[in-house]
Amino acid sequence: METMARVAALAALAAFLCVLLRERERTLALLLSAAACVLGLFLTVRMVEPILSVAREIQALSGLGTAVTAPLFKVTAIGMLCRIAAGVCGDAGEQGLQKAVELSGSILALYAALPLVSAVLALLEDMLGG
C-alpha cells in the first residue's frame, strides 16, 4: 500500500510539473514524464518476484504446464508494455503513433495467446470425441 502511495505521489508531482513546463519547454516536460514513469517502475519492480513465485506455486499445484501459463504471462507483459509505450506516445502528442502501438500490442497479444487457444481447442475436441 505504501508503495502505491509513493507511486501516486510521484505521478501527481510529475504531472503538476509537466503542466507547468509544457507551455515553455515541451521536450523537458516529456522527459520529466518519462523519468517519473521509469522511477515509478523501479519502485514496483521488486514486487515481481513474489508474484512469479506464487504463479509458479499455482502452476505446480494445478498441474498446468507452461503451455498454459506462459501465454498468460506473455499476454500480460505485452499489455503492460503496450500501455506504457502508448501512454508515452500520447503524452508526446503523437496520437497516430499511440494508436499504432495499441494495435501492434493487440496483434502481438493475440499471437502470444495462440498456444493457449490451440490447447483449449484440442481439449474441446477431445471432450466432444472428435
Side-chain angles (χ1 to χ4, degrees):
M1 184 67 172
E2 64 190 47
T3 301
M4 189 60 225
R6 289 181 185 148
V7 171
L10 170 69
L13 178 62
F16 177 72
L17 292 174
C18 285
V19 167
L20 293 177
L21 286 173
R22 191 161 282 132
E23 289 183 19
R24 294 186 204 158
E25 294 291 332
R26 189 165 174 80
T27 304
L28 188 58
L30 180 61
L31 290 174
L32 174 63
S33 177
C37 289
V38 169
L39 185 56
L41 289 173
F42 279 135
L43 289 172
T44 59
V45 76
R46 65 190 162 133
M47 306 298 180
V48 172
E49 181 53 38
I51 293 168
L52 292 177
S53 177
V54 169
R56 281 188 221 106
E57 187 176 336
I58 290 170
Q59 181 181 358
L61 291 173
S62 68
L64 295 174
T66 56
V68 174
T69 56
L72 293 175
F73 289 120
K74 287 179 183 178
V75 168
T76 302
I78 289 168
M80 290 168 36
L81 291 172
C82 176
R83 190 166 171 144
I84 291 167
V88 170
C89 292
D91 287 348
E94 296 295 329
Q95 282 73 30
L97 190 55
Q98 178 182 6
K99 296 298 180 192
V101 168
E102 290 169 351
L103 179 60
S104 296
S106 298
I107 291 168
L108 291 171
L110 287 171
Y111 179 77
L114 283 178
L116 183 57
V117 172
S118 296
V120 168
L121 288 176
L123 179 63
L124 286 174
E125 186 176 10
D126 286 345
M127 289 173 63
L128 296 174

